Amino acid sequence: QVQLVESGGGLVQAGDSLRLSCTASGRTFRDYAMAWFRQAPGKEREFVASISRSASTTYYSDSVKGRFTISRDNAKNTVYLSMNSLKPEDTAVYYCTTGTRATATIAEDSYVYWGQGTQVTVSS
């Protein structure tokens, strides 16, 4: 059974940085693409970033491009989301996810397994 555990969320001020981590277990981590989604209060869950199994391909939403970086350490079964220049509109619960593909995608229905989420709150 695939398990994903996120960590690293918290309360920060606008302009600050945070790094989220997600550690996976239950299957061979390096064989699958990983992604981050987020859900703000009263809004639908939205794509943030994804990374292919080899890290050769990454995708970002327009709202985070240039500020967020997704990376992975296959030796540690961990994917990261480094977030810089945080804005109040980045406030959301951030979810780590993976599916059955090696290639990265932005489509939510490509992802099967989800973590419990970690709260990120950015104050102005």
Side-chain angles (χ1 to χ4, degrees):
Q1 182 177 353
V2 177
Q3 290 190 319
L4 302 171
V5 179
E6 302 101 332
S7 62
L11 172 63
V12 297
Q13 293 188 331
D16 285 350
S17 299
L18 272 179
R19 188 177 78 159
L20 305 183
S21 300
C22 170
T23 300
S25 61
R27 66 178 188 183
T28 306
F29 177 81
R30 64 178 180 270
D31 287 346
Y32 300 96
M34 302 291 297
W36 289 93
F37 282 71
R38 68 185 182 186
Q39 187 167 22
K43 295 187 177 181
E44 294 189 352
R45 189 160 55 190
E46 65 173 2
F47 170 78
V48 176
S50 61
I51 186 167
S52 63
R53 70 172 182 176
S54 65
S56 59
T57 303
T58 56
Y59 295 111
Y60 297 93
S61 67
D62 288 343
S63 61
V64 308
K65 197 173 297 181
R67 299 187 298 121
F68 291 11
T69 302
I70 189 171
S71 60
R72 63 190 297 160
D73 185 338
N74 287 342
K76 296 183 178 180
N77 291 354
T78 301
V79 62
Y80 304 98
L81 184 69
S82 297
M83 306 183 293
N84 298 320
S85 302
L86 282 161
K87 304 175 181 180
E89 50 263 45
D90 294 318
T91 295
V93 177
Y94 283 71
Y95 296 93
C96 172
T97 181
T98 186
T100 59
R101 302 166 58 115
T103 53
T105 176
I106 67 173
E108 186 170 343
D109 59 9
S110 296
Y111 297 99
V112 178
Y113 306 102
W114 296 82
Q116 81 289 350
T118 186
Q119 177 70 47
V120 172
T121 303
V122 184
S123 64
S124 57

